Amino acid sequence: MDPLASATIAAHGGLDQWKRFTTLSARLAQGGALWPLKGVGGVLDDTVVTIDLTRQQASHAPFGDAARKSAFAPHRVALLSGADTVLEELADPRASFAGHTLETPWTELQLAYFAGCAMWTYLTLPFLLAEPGVTAQEIEPWEESGEQWRRLAVTFPAHIATHSTHQTLYIGNDGLLRRHDYDVEIAGNTPGAHYPADYVEVQGIRFPTRRRIYPRQADGKPMAEPLVVSIDLGDIVLR
């Protein structure tokens, strides 16, 4: 593993501590321009996400209606009742985004796929760098906000559903993630600059509780507006 990747994992609590747990849950308060633009405003403004740390699965509950929740996996997404009855489902969900641009509306099943894919990636980084098939290599540093951040170019294998195959992580002097760049393939390869902040320690693992995502320009610099997505996390529990 790249030495910077190893150091970043260690700064967030270490792989041995991370592997003690199999699930993670957190309350999310979400906002930003993306949700109304996609025609799904309000559905996931206040919800709880639960992810599996041993395989790529995630769920949001409630999912709009208090009696519904989502079930995400790379090859299937579903909406379930409180009693786990399947209300709707979609196989090979990523294929349903073919031809989408940033402005293309989403169905609720597509929202469930995007939200599951996104939150599973966000909450498992940087530990995801240790997964088989994920590669990371240090590249030239970046200056922003009066600081110099080291960077990792990350490549994900096809079996991991995430925003894009190639992503970039920016790491501060304390080893914590400062920024995360990707192109949202399922929304016309829209470039994003994602800023995690306000870290807390939970059961030996450090998590950012504030995330803000902005458009990324061709020169790599973020735009000050619009705020594409805001995510505030609380009640983080590892089991």
Side-chain angles (χ1 to χ4, degrees), residues 21-202:
F21 308 106
T22 59
T23 64
L24 182 159
S25 65
R27 177 164 291 281
L28 305 181
Q30 301 186 109
L34 179 68
W35 317 112
L37 178 66
K38 290 294 190 179
V40 292
V43 178
L44 294 177
D45 283 1
D46 185 3
T47 187
V48 172
V49 63
T50 301
I51 66 168
D52 191 318
L53 305 183
T54 65
R55 52 186 173 173
Q56 194 172 14
Q57 293 187 354
S59 176
H60 284 79
F63 191 92
D65 189 309
R68 295 189 308 164
K69 60 184 177 181
S70 64
F72 156 82
H75 302 297
R76 175 183 176 271
V77 67
L79 298 181
L80 310 176
S81 71
D84 289 338
T85 300
V86 176
L87 304 174
E88 296 182 71
E89 63 182 329
L90 179 63
D92 192 16
R94 200 172 187 96
S96 73
F97 295 92
H100 275 218
T101 68
L102 179 60
E103 293 79 18
T104 307
W106 284 337
T107 66
E108 288 194 329
L109 285 168
Q110 289 173 326
L111 170 63
Y113 177 86
F114 171 83
C117 167
M119 291 309 304
W120 189 89
T121 300
Y122 301 159
L123 293 172
T124 58
L125 280 171
F127 305 99
L128 187 53
L129 300 176
E131 286 297 304
V134 179
T135 62
Q137 181 176 4
E138 185 169 5
I139 58 175
E140 69 278 2
W142 176 268
E143 292 189 4
E144 185 171 334
S145 302
E147 299 180 356
Q148 186 176 79
W149 298 335
R150 296 172 72 182
R151 296 196 295 171
L152 283 169
V154 182
T155 301
F156 290 95
H159 70 268
I160 293 180
T162 186
H163 287 319
S164 53
T165 300
H166 302 288
Q167 303 183 25
T168 305
L169 301 179
Y170 299 64
I171 297 102
N173 290 333
D174 54 5
L176 299 180
L177 297 179
R178 292 288 191 273
R179 176 174 158 181
H180 176 195
D181 287 358
Y182 41 74
D183 299 326
V184 185
E185 292 172 348
I186 62 174
N189 288 306
T190 302
H194 176 148
Y195 290 86
D198 295 353
Y199 279 80
V200 298
E201 184 171 321
V202 178

